[in-house]
Amino acid sequence: MSDGYDLHICCMGAGYVGGPTMAVIAANCPKIRVCVVDLSKKIIDAWNSPDLPIYEPGLMEVVEKSRGKNLFFSTDIDAEIKKADIIFISVNTPTKTVGIGAGRAANVKNCELCARKIAEVSEGSKIVVEKSTVPVRTAEAVRRVLDCNEKGLKFQVLSNPEFLAEGTAIPDLMKPDRVLIGGVQSPEGLAAAEALVSVYANWVPREQILTTNLWSSELAKLVANAFLAQRVSSINSISALCEATGANVSEITRAVGMDNRIGKRFLNSSIGFGGSCFQKDILNLVYLCETYGLRECAEYWNQVIVMNDYQKKRFSEKMVSTLFNTVTGKKIAILGFAFKKDTGDVRETPSMFVVRDLVHEQAKVHVYDPQVKREDMWTEMDYTCKMSVANYPGLEEAVTTAPDAYAACDGAHALAVLTEWDEFKELDYERIYKSMAKPAFVFDGRNILDHDALRKIGFEVHAIGKPDPNKFSDL
């Protein structure tokens, strides 16, 4: 195509993966034209505005560097598919809610729809890249759909899973630990993989770009997330033991993490993991194991989910029992609703389950999060907890979104830190203490606060995996 670009890339899906990934490719490859397409005009309009549809540190700067030059956002899906040499499929693959494998298997309907659209409108052969997290052998289904085109076109299907973490997506993409590209081990498949390698090689050292067969690439993504989530559930199981025995989970993690074979990362105990990937990918792995008759393997990985659910439930129950076995009518401040700091993503956030439990106990919940919109909070609670204003009378009045942390805590019987936002470490807790009902309780679900300092102010502090001074006075 004689428009001055060496290559044309189209990405189907303008979400948390597609948008940032394509922005980074465009920023590092000025001779490649990159266009992100989506059915949602609202989302595309936001990508073309100063108010991006997702929050990610550094993302705005990267987008502004290339937008309108070699980075574009469009709803004209057909036209962009026709232009593209390489098409990324980066659409949502949620866990199925009904049918075979409901609650465990991934719903790859959106991937298939993308493949059908590509086959329908393409006028030339293309490389199609799975970017979405998908079950093993999804690429085979995509390839079969593409091969059924009636134009004689040839498509090569690659797997290129993302390994970015929300909150650090831009540095993760700019300096990745590795880039994984899986393809069919044929001359055509290897050539397609090399074409994608050459894109990443513009800024990623070649030795950090790994090429494998398709199935290894698809499975590697699930396994990576399963291993990370496993570490979180492992230390959270120990946090429960610490609270029962008077041990300190921070001291445990320090001692264990100094072992080079184990390492220090993902050993921070908390109310549990959230986000769009960990639970979905583990459930997908569980379903795969069940499908292939590996029952013991399925049970092993499912326990990671069981432990995560236990940790969230345990936290809610401790709040209620500590507040004299009732929170009915009491104001409870929730600091943080996003599943982690530096993102506005609320998918599977642990905060949601604590809020749900408190509402069931008839508490008056006041939530403050610097990036989460009330609309997004309701959307996720409706989708995941089946709790909405329409089907839960009084919900609108039971949950208030506060303009700041001080308003959330004013008059509260307790505050719970559920997202590790840095600003929560810097709050004036003497001011907060004076404004709260007494006794004033703090529940630190992320272990980010100075508990000794809070106790000197007058708070009764309860934290994940930390000994309770009222129970272990000898420590």
Side-chain angles (χ1 to χ4, degrees), residues 346-414:
V346 297
R347 289 174 291 181
E348 293 290 343
T349 176
S351 302
M352 167 177 55
F353 299 97
V354 176
V355 169
R356 177 202 62 190
D357 294 344
L358 292 173
V359 169
H360 285 328
E361 293 290 331
Q362 301 178 47
K364 297 184 181 299
V365 182
H366 287 240
V367 180
Y368 167 68
D369 189 288
Q371 288 297 330
V372 174
K373 299 174 183 176
R374 185 176 179 85
E375 176 188 357
D376 295 335
M377 188 174 77
W378 286 138
T379 299
E380 181 61 19
M381 289 194 70
D382 184 17
Y383 179 78
T384 302
C385 297
K386 309 306 177 191
M387 178 182 280
S388 68
V389 175
N391 66 19
Y392 199 98
L395 182 61
E396 188 76 39
E397 296 74 28
V399 181
T400 301
T401 42
D404 56 58
Y406 297 106
C409 295
D410 186 22
H413 290 255

Coordinates of all heavy atoms in Angstrom, one line a residue, residues 346-414:
V346 N -12.3 -2.6 38.0 CA -13.0 -3.2 39.1 C -13.4 -4.6 38.9 O -14.1 -5.2 39.7 CB -14.2 -2.3 39.4 CG1 -13.9 -0.9 39.8 CG2 -15.2 -2.3 38.3
R347 N -12.9 -5.2 37.8 CA -13.3 -6.6 37.5 C -12.8 -7.6 38.6 O -11.6 -7.6 38.9 CB -12.9 -7.0 36.1 CG -13.6 -6.3 35.0 CD -13.1 -6.6 33.6 NE -11.8 -6.0 33.4 CZ -11.1 -6.1 32.3 NH1 -11.5 -6.8 31.3 NH2 -9.9 -5.5 32.2
E348 N -13.7 -8.3 39.2 CA -13.4 -9.3 40.2 C -12.7 -8.7 41.4 O -12.0 -9.4 42.1 CB -12.6 -10.5 39.7 CG -13.3 -11.3 38.7 CD -14.4 -12.2 39.3 OE1 -14.4 -12.3 40.5 OE2 -15.3 -12.7 38.5
T349 N -12.9 -7.4 41.6 CA -12.2 -6.7 42.7 C -12.6 -7.3 44.1 O -13.8 -7.4 44.3 CB -12.4 -5.2 42.7 OG1 -11.7 -4.6 43.9 CG2 -13.8 -4.8 42.7
P350 N -11.7 -7.6 45.0 CA -12.1 -8.1 46.3 C -13.0 -7.1 47.1 O -13.8 -7.6 47.9 CB -10.7 -8.3 47.0 CG -9.7 -8.5 45.9 CD -10.2 -7.6 44.8
S351 N -12.8 -5.8 46.8 CA -13.6 -4.8 47.5 C -15.1 -5.0 47.3 O -15.9 -4.8 48.2 CB -13.2 -3.4 47.0 OG -11.8 -3.2 47.2
M352 N -15.4 -5.5 46.1 CA -16.8 -5.7 45.8 C -17.5 -6.7 46.7 O -18.6 -6.5 47.1 CB -16.9 -6.1 44.3 CG -18.2 -6.6 43.9 SD -18.2 -7.0 42.1 CE -16.8 -8.2 42.0
F353 N -16.8 -7.7 47.0 CA -17.3 -8.8 47.8 C -17.5 -8.4 49.3 O -18.4 -8.8 50.0 CB -16.5 -10.1 47.7 CG -16.4 -10.6 46.3 CD1 -15.4 -10.3 45.5 CD2 -17.5 -11.4 45.8 CE1 -15.3 -10.7 44.2 CE2 -17.4 -11.8 44.4 CZ -16.3 -11.5 43.6
V354 N -16.6 -7.6 49.7 CA -16.7 -7.0 51.1 C -17.8 -6.1 51.2 O -18.6 -6.1 52.1 CB -15.4 -6.3 51.5 CG1 -15.5 -5.7 52.9 CG2 -14.2 -7.3 51.5
V355 N -18.0 -5.2 50.2 CA -19.1 -4.3 50.1 C -20.4 -5.1 50.1 O -21.4 -4.8 50.8 CB -19.0 -3.3 48.9 CG1 -20.3 -2.6 48.7 CG2 -17.9 -2.4 49.1
R356 N -20.5 -6.1 49.3 CA -21.7 -6.9 49.2 C -22.0 -7.5 50.6 O -23.2 -7.5 51.0 CB -21.4 -8.1 48.2 CG -22.6 -9.1 48.1 CD -22.1 -10.4 47.5 NE -21.1 -11.1 48.4 CZ -20.4 -12.1 48.1 NH1 -20.6 -12.7 46.9 NH2 -19.6 -12.6 48.9
D357 N -21.0 -8.1 51.2 CA -21.3 -8.7 52.5 C -21.8 -7.7 53.6 O -22.7 -7.9 54.4 CB -20.0 -9.4 53.1 CG -19.6 -10.6 52.2 OD1 -20.4 -11.0 51.4 OD2 -18.4 -11.0 52.3
L358 N -21.2 -6.5 53.5 CA -21.6 -5.4 54.5 C -23.0 -4.9 54.2 O -23.8 -4.6 55.1 CB -20.6 -4.3 54.4 CG -19.2 -4.6 54.9 CD1 -18.3 -3.4 54.7 CD2 -19.2 -4.9 56.4
V359 N -23.4 -4.8 52.9 CA -24.7 -4.4 52.6 C -25.7 -5.5 53.0 O -26.8 -5.1 53.5 CB -24.8 -4.2 51.0 CG1 -26.3 -4.0 50.6 CG2 -24.0 -2.9 50.6
H360 N -25.4 -6.7 52.9 CA -26.2 -7.8 53.3 C -26.4 -7.7 54.9 O -27.5 -8.1 55.4 CB -25.6 -9.2 53.0 CG -25.8 -9.6 51.6 ND1 -26.8 -9.2 50.8 CD2 -25.0 -10.3 50.8 CE1 -26.7 -9.7 49.6 NE2 -25.6 -10.4 49.5
E361 N -25.4 -7.2 55.5 CA -25.5 -7.0 57.0 C -26.1 -5.7 57.4 O -26.1 -5.3 58.6 CB -24.1 -7.1 57.6 CG -23.5 -8.5 57.5 CD -24.1 -9.5 58.4 OE1 -24.7 -9.1 59.5 OE2 -24.1 -10.7 58.1
Q362 N -26.6 -5.0 56.4 CA -27.4 -3.7 56.5 C -26.5 -2.6 57.1 O -27.0 -1.7 57.8 CB -28.6 -3.9 57.4 CG -29.6 -5.0 56.9 CD -30.7 -5.2 57.8 OE1 -31.3 -4.2 58.3 NE2 -31.1 -6.5 58.0
A363 N -25.2 -2.6 56.7 CA -24.4 -1.4 57.0 C -24.6 -0.3 56.0 O -25.2 -0.5 54.9 CB -22.9 -1.9 57.0
K364 N -24.2 0.9 56.4 CA -24.2 2.1 55.5 C -22.8 2.2 55.0 O -21.9 2.7 55.8 CB -24.7 3.3 56.3 CG -26.2 3.2 56.7 CD -26.6 4.5 57.4 CE -28.1 4.3 57.9 NZ -29.0 4.0 56.9
V365 N -22.6 1.8 53.8 CA -21.2 1.7 53.2 C -20.9 3.0 52.4 O -21.6 3.4 51.6 CB -21.1 0.5 52.3 CG1 -19.6 0.4 51.8 CG2 -21.4 -0.8 53.1
H366 N -19.7 3.6 52.8 CA -19.3 4.8 52.0 C -17.9 4.4 51.4 O -17.0 4.1 52.1 CB -19.1 6.0 53.0 CG -20.4 6.6 53.4 ND1 -20.8 7.9 53.2 CD2 -21.5 6.0 54.1 CE1 -22.0 8.1 53.7 NE2 -22.4 7.0 54.2
V367 N -17.9 4.5 50.1 CA -16.7 4.1 49.3 C -16.0 5.3 48.7 O -16.7 6.2 48.1 CB -17.2 3.1 48.2 CG1 -16.0 2.7 47.3 CG2 -17.9 1.9 48.7
Y368 N -14.7 5.3 48.8 CA -13.9 6.3 48.1 C -12.8 5.6 47.4 O -12.0 4.7 47.9 CB -13.2 7.3 49.1 CG -12.2 8.1 48.4 CD1 -12.5 9.0 47.4 CD2 -10.8 7.9 48.7 CE1 -11.5 9.7 46.7 CE2 -9.8 8.6 48.0 CZ -10.2 9.5 47.0 OH -9.2 10.2 46.3
D369 N -12.7 5.9 46.1 CA -11.6 5.4 45.3 C -11.2 6.5 44.3 O -12.1 7.1 43.6 CB -11.9 4.1 44.5 CG -10.7 3.5 43.8 OD1 -10.3 4.1 42.8 OD2 -10.2 2.4 44.2
P370 N -9.9 6.8 44.1 CA -9.6 8.0 43.3 C -9.8 7.8 41.8 O -9.8 8.8 41.1 CB -8.1 8.2 43.6 CG -7.6 6.9 44.1 CD -8.8 6.3 44.8
Q371 N -10.0 6.6 41.3 CA -10.2 6.3 39.9 C -11.4 5.6 39.5 O -11.8 5.6 38.3 CB -9.0 5.5 39.4 CG -7.7 6.3 39.3 CD -7.8 7.5 38.4 OE1 -8.5 7.5 37.4 NE2 -7.0 8.6 38.7
V372 N -12.2 5.0 40.4 CA -13.3 4.2 40.1 C -14.6 5.1 40.1 O -14.9 5.9 41.0 CB -13.5 3.1 41.1 CG1 -14.8 2.3 40.8 CG2 -12.3 2.1 41.0
K373 N -15.3 5.0 39.0 CA -16.6 5.7 38.8 C -17.7 4.9 39.4 O -17.7 3.6 39.4 CB -16.9 6.0 37.4 CG -15.8 6.9 36.7 CD -16.0 7.0 35.2 CE -14.9 7.9 34.6 NZ -15.1 7.9 33.1
R374 N -18.7 5.6 40.0 CA -19.9 4.9 40.6 C -20.6 4.0 39.6 O -20.9 2.8 39.9 CB -20.9 5.9 41.1 CG -22.0 5.3 41.9 CD -22.9 6.4 42.5 NE -24.1 5.8 43.2 CZ -24.1 5.4 44.5 NH1 -22.9 5.5 45.2 NH2 -25.1 4.9 45.1
E375 N -20.7 4.4 38.3 CA -21.3 3.6 37.3 C -20.6 2.3 37.1 O -21.2 1.3 36.9 CB -21.3 4.4 36.0 CG -21.8 3.7 34.8 CD -21.6 4.4 33.5 OE1 -21.1 5.6 33.5 OE2 -22.0 3.9 32.4
D376 N -19.2 2.4 37.1 CA -18.4 1.1 36.9 C -18.6 0.2 38.1 O -18.6 -1.0 37.9 CB -17.0 1.5 36.7 CG -16.7 2.3 35.4 OD1 -17.6 2.1 34.5 OD2 -15.7 3.0 35.3
M377 N -18.7 0.8 39.3 CA -18.9 0.0 40.5 C -20.2 -0.8 40.4 O -20.2 -2.0 40.6 CB -18.9 0.9 41.7 CG -18.8 0.2 43.0 SD -18.7 1.4 44.4 CE -20.3 2.0 44.5
W378 N -21.3 -0.1 40.0 CA -22.6 -0.8 39.9 C -22.6 -1.9 38.8 O -23.1 -2.9 39.0 CB -23.7 0.2 39.6 CG -24.1 1.1 40.8 CD1 -24.3 2.4 40.7 CD2 -24.3 0.7 42.2 NE1 -24.7 2.9 42.0 CE2 -24.6 1.9 42.9 CE3 -24.2 -0.5 42.9 CZ2 -24.9 1.9 44.2 CZ3 -24.4 -0.5 44.2 CH2 -24.8 0.7 44.9
T379 N -21.9 -1.5 37.7 CA -21.9 -2.5 36.6 C -21.3 -3.8 37.0 O -21.8 -4.9 36.7 CB -21.1 -1.9 35.4 OG1 -21.8 -0.7 35.0 CG2 -21.1 -2.9 34.2
E380 N -20.1 -3.7 37.7 CA -19.4 -4.9 38.1 C -20.2 -5.7 39.2 O -20.3 -6.9 39.2 CB -18.0 -4.6 38.6 CG -17.2 -5.8 39.0 CD -17.0 -6.8 37.9 OE1 -17.1 -6.5 36.7 OE2 -16.6 -8.0 38.2
M381 N -20.8 -5.0 40.1 CA -21.5 -5.6 41.2 C -22.7 -6.3 40.6 O -23.1 -7.4 41.1 CB -21.9 -4.6 42.2 CG -20.8 -4.1 43.1 SD -21.3 -3.2 44.6 CE -21.9 -4.6 45.6
D382 N -23.4 -5.7 39.6 CA -24.5 -6.4 39.0 C -24.1 -7.6 38.2 O -24.7 -8.7 38.3 CB -25.2 -5.4 38.0 CG -26.4 -6.0 37.4 OD1 -27.0 -6.9 37.9 OD2 -26.9 -5.4 36.4
Y383 N -22.9 -7.5 37.5 CA -22.5 -8.6 36.6 C -22.0 -9.8 37.5 O -22.3 -11.0 37.2 CB -21.4 -8.1 35.7 CG -20.8 -9.2 34.8 CD1 -21.5 -9.7 33.7 CD2 -19.6 -9.8 35.1 CE1 -20.9 -10.7 32.9 CE2 -19.0 -10.8 34.3 CZ -19.7 -11.2 33.2 OH -19.2 -12.2 32.4
T384 N -21.2 -9.5 38.5 CA -20.5 -10.6 39.3 C -21.3 -11.0 40.5 O -21.4 -12.2 40.8 CB -19.1 -10.1 39.7 OG1 -18.4 -9.8 38.6 CG2 -18.4 -11.2 40.5
C385 N -21.9 -10.1 41.2 CA -22.6 -10.4 42.4 C -24.2 -10.4 42.2 O -24.9 -10.8 43.2 CB -22.3 -9.3 43.5 SG -20.6 -9.3 44.0
K386 N -24.6 -10.1 41.0 CA -26.1 -10.1 40.8 C -26.8 -9.2 41.7 O -27.9 -9.4 42.2 CB -26.7 -11.5 40.8 CG -25.9 -12.5 40.0 CD -25.8 -12.1 38.6 CE -25.0 -13.2 37.8 NZ -24.6 -12.7 36.4
M387 N -26.1 -8.1 42.1 CA -26.7 -7.1 43.0 C -26.7 -5.8 42.3 O -25.7 -5.2 41.9 CB -25.8 -7.0 44.2 CG -26.2 -5.9 45.2 SD -25.1 -5.8 46.6 CE -25.6 -7.2 47.6
S388 N -28.0 -5.3 42.0 CA -28.2 -4.0 41.3 C -29.3 -3.2 42.0 O -30.0 -3.8 42.8 CB -28.5 -4.3 39.8 OG -29.8 -4.9 39.7
V389 N -29.3 -2.0 41.6 CA -30.4 -1.1 42.1 C -31.8 -1.7 41.8 O -32.7 -1.6 42.6 CB -30.2 0.3 41.6 CG1 -31.4 1.2 42.1 CG2 -28.9 0.9 42.1
A390 N -31.9 -2.3 40.6 CA -33.1 -2.8 40.2 C -33.6 -4.0 41.0 O -34.8 -4.1 41.2 CB -33.1 -3.2 38.7
N391 N -32.7 -4.9 41.4 CA -33.1 -6.1 42.0 C -32.8 -6.2 43.5 O -33.1 -7.2 44.2 CB -32.5 -7.4 41.4 CG -31.0 -7.4 41.5 OD1 -30.4 -6.8 42.4 ND2 -30.4 -8.2 40.6
Y392 N -32.2 -5.1 44.1 CA -31.9 -5.0 45.5 C -32.4 -3.7 46.1 O -31.7 -2.7 46.1 CB -30.4 -5.2 45.7 CG -30.0 -5.6 47.1 CD1 -29.7 -6.9 47.4 CD2 -30.0 -4.7 48.1 CE1 -29.3 -7.3 48.7 CE2 -29.6 -5.0 49.4 CZ -29.3 -6.4 49.7 OH -29.0 -6.8 51.0
P393 N -33.7 -3.7 46.6 CA -34.3 -2.5 47.1 C -33.4 -1.9 48.2 O -32.9 -2.6 49.1 CB -35.6 -3.0 47.7 CG -35.9 -4.2 47.0 CD -34.6 -4.9 46.7
G394 N -33.2 -0.6 48.1 CA -32.4 0.1 49.1 C -30.9 0.2 48.8 O -30.1 0.8 49.6
L395 N -30.5 -0.5 47.8 CA -29.0 -0.5 47.5 C -28.4 0.9 47.2 O -27.3 1.2 47.7 CB -28.7 -1.4 46.3 CG -27.3 -1.6 45.9 CD1 -26.5 -2.3 47.0 CD2 -27.2 -2.5 44.6
E396 N -29.2 1.7 46.5 CA -28.7 3.0 46.2 C -28.4 3.8 47.4 O -27.4 4.5 47.5 CB -29.7 3.7 45.3 CG -29.3 5.1 44.7 CD -28.4 4.9 43.5 OE1 -28.6 4.0 42.7 OE2 -27.4 5.7 43.5
E397 N -29.3 3.7 48.4 CA -29.1 4.4 49.7 C -28.0 3.7 50.6 O -27.4 4.4 51.4 CB -30.4 4.5 50.5 CG -31.5 5.3 49.8 CD -32.1 4.5 48.6 OE1 -32.1 3.3 48.6 OE2 -32.6 5.2 47.6
A398 N -27.9 2.4 50.4 CA -26.9 1.7 51.3 C -25.5 2.0 51.0 O -24.6 1.8 51.8 CB -27.2 0.2 51.2
V399 N -25.2 2.3 49.7 CA -23.8 2.5 49.3 C -23.7 3.9 48.7 O -24.3 4.3 47.8 CB -23.4 1.5 48.2 CG1 -21.9 1.8 47.8 CG2 -23.6 0.1 48.7
T400 N -22.8 4.7 49.4 CA -22.5 6.1 49.0 C -21.1 6.1 48.4 O -20.2 5.5 49.0 CB -22.6 7.0 50.2 OG1 -23.9 7.0 50.7 CG2 -22.3 8.5 49.8
T401 N -20.9 6.9 47.4 CA -19.5 7.1 46.9 C -19.1 8.5 47.3 O -19.7 9.5 47.0 CB -19.5 7.0 45.3 OG1 -20.6 7.7 44.7 CG2 -19.5 5.6 44.9
A402 N -18.0 8.5 48.1 CA -17.6 9.7 48.8 C -16.6 10.5 47.9 O -15.9 9.9 47.1 CB -16.9 9.4 50.1
P403 N -16.5 11.8 48.0 CA -15.6 12.6 47.1 C -14.2 12.5 47.6 O -13.3 12.8 46.8 CB -16.1 14.0 47.3 CG -16.8 14.0 48.7 CD -17.4 12.7 48.8
D404 N -13.9 12.1 48.8 CA -12.6 11.9 49.3 C -12.6 11.0 50.5 O -13.6 10.7 51.0 CB -11.9 13.3 49.6 CG -12.7 14.1 50.6 OD1 -12.9 13.6 51.8 OD2 -13.1 15.2 50.3
A405 N -11.4 10.6 51.0 CA -11.3 9.7 52.1 C -11.8 10.3 53.4 O -12.4 9.5 54.2 CB -9.8 9.3 52.3
Y406 N -11.6 11.6 53.6 CA -12.1 12.2 54.8 C -13.6 12.2 54.9 O -14.2 11.9 56.0 CB -11.5 13.6 54.9 CG -10.0 13.6 55.0 CD1 -9.3 14.0 53.9 CD2 -9.3 13.2 56.1 CE1 -7.9 14.0 53.9 CE2 -8.0 13.2 56.2 CZ -7.2 13.6 55.1 OH -5.9 13.6 55.1
A407 N -14.3 12.4 53.8 CA -15.7 12.4 53.8 C -16.2 11.0 54.0 O -17.2 10.8 54.7 CB -16.3 12.9 52.5
A408 N -15.6 10.0 53.5 CA -15.9 8.6 53.7 C -15.8 8.2 55.1 O -16.7 7.5 55.6 CB -15.1 7.7 52.8
C409 N -14.8 8.7 55.8 CA -14.6 8.3 57.2 C -15.3 9.1 58.2 O -15.4 8.7 59.4 CB -13.1 8.4 57.5 SG -12.0 7.2 56.5
D410 N -15.8 10.3 57.8 CA -16.5 11.2 58.8 C -17.7 10.5 59.4 O -18.7 10.1 58.7 CB -16.9 12.4 58.1 CG -17.5 13.5 59.1 OD1 -17.2 13.4 60.3 OD2 -18.3 14.3 58.6
G411 N -17.6 10.2 60.7 CA -18.7 9.6 61.4 C -18.8 8.1 61.3 O -19.7 7.5 61.9
A412 N -17.8 7.5 60.7 CA -17.7 6.0 60.5 C -17.4 5.3 61.8 O -16.6 5.8 62.6 CB -16.8 5.7 59.4
H413 N -17.9 4.1 61.9 CA -17.5 3.2 63.0 C -16.2 2.5 62.7 O -15.4 2.1 63.6 CB -18.6 2.2 63.3 CG -19.8 2.8 63.9 ND1 -20.2 2.7 65.2 CD2 -20.8 3.6 63.3 CE1 -21.3 3.3 65.5 NE2 -21.7 3.8 64.3
A414 N -15.9 2.3 61.4 CA -14.7 1.6 61.0 C -14.3 2.0 59.6 O -15.2 2.5 58.8 CB -15.0 0.1 61.0

